[in-house]
């Protein structure tokens, strides 16, 4: 179905209760609704926004177009949680209802300041010729959840040399000064990050660009910046648009990754760093955002989707969800993403297993749809070890370690219903050279997240299988010891 501009910019406030009830019933009929991932009540969910901890709760906002599975006029939708596992629906946080955000409350961040949560976002507007004008805006939430938008933007112009692709403010405090990072496109079609500074969150000074060495095949626009320091090192997160595929790398339509290096010198804007690394080696992952919680943990959550990609669930009036929260650690010059420990609270029945494989397959009978699976492959003397899950008469999803070619390979070519002409095909690979393989797999109704060797690599994918495709098969080309446990959720 093609959506007209008028349909995409129709607001939820403009439709009748009966119209919206029909949309909700259409969503309710979907066989692919998630059980423990954040998903939209209706319509399209995209970027996580304002991820923060405020007044004893975690808060997460996300981009939302309520009327259908397309990118229309955007709202901020609000969820809160005591543990990042069970979420309370707080409803619409911000609607596109001012002169500075009339065509969309676009992405941004949040920062607790004393008794208030400051929310920084890009206000999207269009003039009579449909030319975009963007503003960087502030809204403030009190401890009761009441949200008030400031009357005027805190950044109302775009510096010379940059296009209207100028958005997604990430604000943080460092050395008693506030900094705002913004994703940008230069007039020469190169992506970059610019930054501003402030003493008081009211008056902001343009400082310039962050100076990086990421300039070859770096894309035309860097979205959704984030920055944090951990264990004496610095991580700059960006989601570049327009990168070309290089071998096994950068296969998705747009990428999401990080630059790991020395702490940024914000006086000069210099950043010494290693090469760009993708966060997730799978199929759908974009625009992640992090926050530091009261325990000192750096926690990441991402959009389980991609811009411009259709979804199998579109026919049911909704699309996309969030990834599970991940704990970020930096060790020995590598970034690790670990499943949130609190996810253990979802575990119910437990099934342990262990066996030796020698050029054979073993099936683990399973009727569960939503579960966590841990598998250790030990004493590997083989050219290939792996697992098939969501196996049915005509379906299977395959993940394996090709020791001969030193690669991890994820194949979803037979994984049920697929998006047509998905960018980069339906196989993903990355280099890997370890003596043992440990997998921590989370399967929900329509997704899988595979954490490899304590989060050294992660592969994420949406899956749309038949309800009876649930078998699990372990296989090897050689000898291996397999030990594992399965928890039903």
């Amino acid at each position: 179905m093609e959506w007209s501009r008028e349909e995409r910019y129709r607001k939820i406030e403009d439709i009748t209760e009966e119209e919206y009830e029909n949309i909700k019933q259409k969503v309710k009929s979907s066989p692919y609704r998630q059980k423990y991932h954040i998903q939209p009540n209706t319509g399209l969910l995209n970027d996580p926004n304002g991820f923060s901890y405020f007044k004893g709760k975690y808060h997460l906002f996300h981009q939302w177009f309520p009327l259908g599975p397309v990118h229309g006029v955007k709202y901020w939708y609000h969820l809160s949680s005591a543990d990042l596992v069970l979420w309370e629906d707080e409803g619409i946080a911000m609607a596109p209802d001012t002169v500075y955000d009339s065509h969309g409350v676009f992405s941004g961040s949040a920062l607790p300041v004393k008794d208030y949560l400051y929310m920084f976002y890009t206000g999207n507007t269009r003039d009579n010729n449909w030319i975009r004008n963007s503003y960087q805006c502030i809204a403030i939430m009190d401890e009761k959840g009441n949200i008030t938008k400031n009357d005027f933007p805190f950044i109302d112009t775009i510096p010379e040399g940059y296009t209207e692709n100028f958005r997604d403010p990430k604000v943080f405090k460092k050395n008693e000064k506030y900094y705002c990072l913004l994703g940008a496109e230069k007039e020469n079609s190169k992506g970059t990050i610019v930054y501003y500074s402030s003493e008081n969150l009211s008056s902001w000074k343009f400082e310039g660009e962050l100076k990086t060495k990421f300039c070859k095949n770096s894309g035309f626009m860097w979205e959704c910046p984030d920055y944090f320091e951990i264990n004496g090192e610095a991580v700059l997160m960006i989601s570049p648009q327009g990168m070309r595929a290089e071998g096994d790398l950068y296969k998705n339509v747009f990428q999401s990754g990080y630059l790991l290096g020395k702490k940024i010198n914000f006086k000069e804007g210099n950043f010494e760093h290693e090469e760009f690394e993708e966060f997730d080696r799978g199929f759908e992952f974009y625009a992640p955002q992090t926050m530091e919680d009261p325990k000192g943990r750096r926690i990441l959550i991402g959009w389980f989707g991609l811009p411009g990609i259709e979804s199998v669930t579109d026919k049911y009036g909704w699309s996309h969800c969030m990834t599970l929260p991940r704990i970020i650690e930096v060790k020995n010059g590598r970034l690790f993403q670990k499943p949130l420990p609190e996810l253990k609270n979802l575990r119910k029945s437990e099934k342990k297993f262990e066996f030796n494989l020698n050029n054979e397959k073993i099936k683990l009978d399973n009727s569960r749809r939503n579960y966590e699976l841990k598998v250790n492959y030990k004493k590997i003397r083989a050219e290939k070890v792996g697992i098939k899950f969501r196996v049915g008469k005509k379906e299977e999803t395959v993940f394996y370690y090709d020791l001969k070619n030193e690669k991890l390979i994820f194949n979803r070519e037979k994984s049920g219903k697929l998006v047509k002409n998905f960018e980069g095909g339906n196989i993903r690979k990355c280099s890997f050279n370890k003596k043992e393989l440990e997998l921590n797999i989370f399967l929900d109704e329509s997704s899988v997240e595979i954490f490899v060797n304590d989060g050294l690599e992660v592969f994420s994918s949406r899956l749309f299988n038949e309800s009876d495709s649930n078998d699990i098969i372990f296989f090897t080309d050689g000898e291996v010891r397999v030990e594992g446990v399965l928890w039903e959720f």
Side-chain angles (χ1 to χ4, degrees), residues 216-398:
K216 184 180 178 182
N217 189 22
S218 57
F220 64 83
M221 169 64 187
W222 294 1
E223 291 197 302
C224 304
D226 199 344
Y227 176 78
F228 58 90
E229 297 171 356
I230 185 169
N231 294 339
E233 297 186 82
V235 178
L236 177 65
M237 297 167 45
I238 51 176
S239 291
Q241 298 184 333
M243 294 181 71
R244 300 182 305 277
E246 295 180 357
D248 297 332
L249 303 175
Y250 322 136
K251 290 284 192 178
N252 292 328
V253 60
F254 296 136
Q255 318 312 317
S256 185
Y258 61 91
L259 303 171
L260 178 63
K262 297 180 180 180
K263 295 180 181 180
I264 292 178
N265 176 349
F266 283 100
K267 288 184 178 180
E268 304 293 335
N270 294 322
F271 184 34
E272 297 180 32
H273 59 83
E274 302 298 325
E275 296 298 318
F276 177 80
E277 291 282 349
E278 294 174 280
F279 270 112
D280 197 291
R281 307 297 187 177
F283 299 91
E284 291 100 349
F285 182 91
Y286 196 69
Q289 190 169 102
T290 74
M291 55 86 67
E292 184 178 11
D293 78 349
K295 300 176 183 178
R297 304 180 302 180
R298 178 61 55 172
I299 304 170
L300 174 148
I301 195 165
W303 173 26
F304 216 148
L306 286 167
I309 297 295
E310 294 180 355
S311 173
V312 171
T313 63
D314 285 358
K315 63 184 289 187
Y316 298 102
W318 72 283
S319 56
H320 309 309
C321 60
M322 290 294 172
T323 68
L324 293 174
R326 304 172 182 182
I327 303 296
I328 300 296
E329 295 181 359
V330 175
K331 297 183 295 185
N332 301 319
R334 291 296 303 269
L335 187 147
F336 289 74
Q337 302 172 74
K338 300 182 178 183
L340 184 79
E342 287 89 333
L343 291 168
K344 294 176 181 177
N345 296 334
L346 294 173
R347 294 173 180 174
K348 296 176 183 176
S349 62
E350 178 181 280
K351 181 177 182 179
K352 293 183 178 181
F353 55 90
E354 54 183 342
F355 43 79
N356 296 315
L357 287 178
N358 188 350
N359 292 297
E360 59 185 318
K361 301 177 182 177
I362 288 184
K363 183 170 78 170
L364 189 70
D365 290 327
N366 175 62
S367 61
R368 301 168 175 85
R369 297 288 289 173
N370 319 119
Y371 58 83
E372 177 187 358
L373 176 65
K374 273 194 173 183
V375 187
N376 287 315
Y377 296 84
K378 299 182 176 181
K379 301 178 181 178
I380 302 175
R381 294 186 294 275
E383 291 191 355
K384 184 187 297 182
V385 296
I387 183 173
K388 298 180 180 182
F389 50 89
R390 288 282 167 90
V391 179
K393 292 180 180 179
K394 296 182 179 180
E395 297 179 352
E396 63 178 22
T397 302
V398 186

Side-chain angles (χ1 to χ4, degrees), residues 7-69:
E7 290 171 325
R8 287 174 183 265
Y9 283 84
R10 194 179 184 201
K11 299 176 183 178
I12 192 171
E13 294 86 356
D14 299 330
I15 69 171
T16 66
E17 289 186 16
E18 182 180 4
E19 283 180 282
Y20 194 55
E21 184 60 34
N22 290 336
I23 296 172
K24 289 193 286 186
Q25 289 303 315
K26 188 176 182 180
V27 172
K28 191 175 180 180
S29 70
S30 170
Y32 305 115
R33 296 291 284 172
Q34 301 276 57
K35 299 301 186 292
Y36 59 93
H37 283 74
I38 292 171
Q39 61 193 344
N41 295 331
T42 62
L44 180 139
L45 169 156
N46 61 302
D47 303 3
N49 297 154
F51 192 26
S52 53
Y53 188 87
F54 175 66
K55 296 298 179 180
K57 283 186 176 183
Y58 296 93
H59 294 268
L60 179 69
F61 306 82
H62 65 73
Q63 293 285 281
W64 185 51
F65 175 61
L67 304 187

Side-chain angles (χ1 to χ4, degrees), residues 99-167:
V99 67
Y100 296 109
D101 58 22
S102 58
H103 290 70
V105 184
F106 275 19
S107 292
S109 57
L111 184 69
V113 181
K114 296 182 179 179
D115 292 328
Y116 298 94
L117 184 67
Y118 278 66
M119 297 179 289
F120 307 86
Y121 69 95
T122 297
N124 183 49
T125 68
R126 298 277 187 172
D127 64 19
N128 292 334
N129 297 316
W130 207 247
I131 295 173
R132 173 182 292 166
N133 294 286
S134 59
Y135 302 93
Q136 312 315 316
C137 305
I138 294 177
I140 301 173
M141 186 173 82
D142 65 22
E143 57 186 340
K144 294 182 179 179
N146 301 311
I147 297 172
T148 304
K149 294 178 182 178
N150 281 6
D151 291 334
F152 300 100
F154 70 99
I155 299 172
D156 61 4
T157 58
I158 296 174
E160 186 176 349
Y162 303 93
T163 75
E164 289 294 335
N165 282 325
F166 194 82
R167 55 183 176 264

